[in-house]
Amino acid sequence: MRILFHHRIASRDGQAVHIEELIAALERQGHETILVGPPGFTATAFGGSNPLVDRIKQAIPGALYELLEVAYNLKALLRLRAAVRRHRPDVIYERFSLFLFAGIWVRRLSGLPLLLEVNSPLYEERAKNDGLRLHWLGRWAQRLLWNRADAVLPVTGVLAGTIAEYGVPPARITVIPNGIDPTRFGSVPDTEAAKAALGLPPRMVLGFTGFIRGWNAVHRLIDFVAAHRDRLDLHILVVGDGPARDSLQDHARARGVADRLTISGIVGRDDVARMTAAFDIAVLPGLTPYSSPLKLFEYLQLGRAIVAPDTANIREVLTDGKDALLFDAAQDGALEDALLRLCGDAALRQRLGEQAKRTITEKSLTWDRNAERVVAIAEAAIGHAQGQLVGEAAATRV
């Protein structure tokens, strides 16, 4: 199968990981993929972004920037149509972006089925976090895009519920969570060797991987370490970087535990596993209620003891007491109680970690399995489209 993979991503972060891992899995299975998107994407270093886009976004009013997003469709349409004519794909697979209409336009012009991957409800997310100005346009665009795709592929059941509320028939919605390529995590050092390689002291390490934002609530780990410094020899390792880095370091200094916090900064994808291997306890202190965190699958594959919020999207993957300890995010002290329990019970940490790794296999949480499901959905959509063409041709003859 020839798959045209369309996106509008300028930064190389978790979004890029999803794209690259799924494409690699599809190609391992013998399918041909054609990546179509902003030309600077593949040249951007991991962790980087398009500086021109960043400057424009900061320099102009929000409403004008949103109109520029709509205007971008003219360029995207020309690029996408040229790719269709040159490569003659069987299907278009697109990563959902608010205001990106080129995919549904080309679907209408070419008759090619469109599969739409949805990682978040961008209208709601941007309205809450980014100060979206053109609310009416954003909500209209999201409804239009979700309803015009032949198949909508959200990463969680929670997100699938939101998509259904926009009028998309359940038969066109298939949940495909994020996954893992186990071969990337095949040869990592044991925990103590990983700590030594990173120059960490021989303490119990509480770890977090990813882009550091305020809502990640990593500051709660600092508060926990500060509160228990007299009885527990703990260290915090953050593998990643982000806008909340400085505030975390300031908070650690204010709590007197600056020497117990290490933030790696941006690291290459191939370095994530060897650094995460230093975690004794892998923590998700906070997360959005609809997400499928990439870090979660890394924690599982590495066999870490996991602490995570007891939310619906997390329960789609984890089971409390089996492969993780889940805490009630609305209850004061629940995260800290879970951490205390794990810090004091080595046998529990080992049991949860061993089961965590088995969960990957038991639930088929791999990119290869995701690719198989995408292909099956694409084949069904192609068959449906061909059936419609045959029906229309027969009706014309009559």
Side-chain angles (χ1 to χ4, degrees):
M1 183 181 296
R2 187 175 292 121
I3 303 167
L4 196 156
F5 205 116
H6 184 228
H7 72 96
R8 200 200 67 184
I9 297 170
S11 57
R12 297 276 295 206
D13 48 19
Q15 303 174 90
V17 171
H18 192 139
I19 290 173
E20 292 168 357
E21 290 286 8
L22 183 56
I23 285 176
L26 288 165
E27 292 181 345
R28 281 195 296 270
Q29 295 171 18
H31 304 287
E32 181 183 349
T33 60
I34 304 99
L35 185 64
V36 180
F41 173 77
T42 54
T44 303
F46 187 71
S49 60
N50 186 316
L52 177 59
V53 173
D54 293 340
R55 287 197 297 270
I56 292 173
K57 191 171 184 178
Q58 294 172 3
I60 64 176
L64 179 56
Y65 180 79
E66 290 155 24
L67 292 175
L68 288 178
E69 289 184 86
V70 175
Y72 169 84
N73 282 283
L74 298 177
K75 180 182 290 187
L77 175 62
L78 294 174
R79 187 184 296 136
L80 194 56
R81 287 200 72 184
V84 168
R85 289 168 176 168
R86 178 179 179 186
H87 298 283
R88 303 181 68 83
D90 300 298
V91 66
I92 300 171
Y93 183 100
E94 183 174 86
R95 185 182 176 100
F96 168 61
S97 293
L98 199 62
F99 305 129
L100 183 59
F101 305 112
I104 62 172
W105 292 347
V106 170
R107 171 189 178 273
R108 183 175 180 85
L109 291 169
S110 67
L112 289 170
L114 173 67
L115 277 55
L116 189 66
E117 171 196 306
V118 180
N119 292 270
S120 63
L122 287 175
Y123 163 70
E124 288 82 359
E125 186 175 271
R126 288 179 57 170
K128 178 181 178 181
N129 300 319
D130 288 346
L132 188 72
R133 297 296 182 268
L134 303 177
H135 284 254
W136 63 271
L137 181 61
R139 187 171 180 82
W140 173 83
Q142 185 161 276
R143 181 181 297 275
L144 177 72
L145 291 166
W146 287 356
N147 278 276
R148 291 292 174 86
D150 295 274
V152 185
L153 313 180
V155 292
T156 63
V158 174
L159 187 50
T162 300
I163 292 168
E165 290 173 359
Y166 273 76
V168 181
R172 296 217 313 267
I173 304 172
T174 303
V175 177
I176 301 183
N178 282 321
I180 196 76
D181 175 5
T183 63
R184 281 189 176 273
F185 295 78
S187 57
V188 295
D190 63 38
T191 304
E192 297 308 316
K195 293 176 188 177
L198 296 174
L200 297 177
R203 296 170 174 157
M204 184 178 298
V205 172
L206 310 180
F208 172 87
T209 302
F211 195 62
I212 316 167
R213 296 182 177 91
W215 55 258
N216 291 137
V218 181
H219 67 279
R220 294 181 65 180
L221 301 184
I222 294 172
D223 291 334
F224 178 80
V225 169
H228 299 281
R229 75 185 104 190
D230 294 334
R231 58 175 292 203
L232 296 173
D233 194 18
L234 302 173
H235 196 88
I236 302 166
L237 173 59
V238 177
V239 180
D241 210 333
R245 176 176 183 154
D246 290 344
S247 65
L248 280 183
Q249 292 173 322
D250 290 344
H251 189 58
R253 282 190 289 270
R255 296 303 307 269
V257 292
D259 62 328
R260 292 173 179 258
L261 171 65
T262 299
I263 301 178
S264 70
I266 295 171
V267 298
R269 286 175 57 196
D270 293 334
D271 294 323
V272 171
R274 67 177 181 81
M275 300 187 78
T276 305
F279 296 0
D280 291 286
I281 301 173
V283 190
L284 285 83
L287 74 166
T288 53
Y290 46 77
S291 64
S292 177
L294 283 166
K295 63 178 70 65
L296 174 58
F297 303 92
E298 296 168 354
Y299 295 167
L300 288 166
Q301 181 61 38
L302 287 168
R304 301 299 90 181
I306 299 170
V307 175
D310 188 8
T311 54
N313 56 329
I314 291 299
R315 288 194 300 272
E316 292 176 28
V317 178
L318 301 178
T319 302
D320 184 37
K322 180 182 178 182
D323 50 17
L325 291 187
L326 304 184
F327 65 92
D328 183 352
Q331 180 181 336
D332 290 342
L335 167 61
E336 292 72 19
D337 289 345
L339 289 172
L340 272 177
R341 183 180 172 193
L342 271 181
C343 287
D345 193 336
L348 178 59
R349 293 197 302 273
Q350 181 176 351
R351 177 172 65 80
L352 293 177
E354 290 172 352
Q355 178 56 47
K357 192 165 185 177
R358 287 194 290 268
T359 294
I360 292 290
T361 302
E362 291 173 358
K363 296 188 175 181
S364 299
L365 299 172
T366 65
W367 291 115
D368 283 337
R369 175 56 181 146
N370 287 357
E372 291 173 358
R373 298 178 69 193
V374 166
V375 168
I377 294 166
E379 288 174 343
I382 292 167
H384 180 71
Q386 291 174 343
Q388 284 186 319
L389 289 175
V390 171
E392 289 171 3
T396 301
R397 286 195 299 272
V398 172

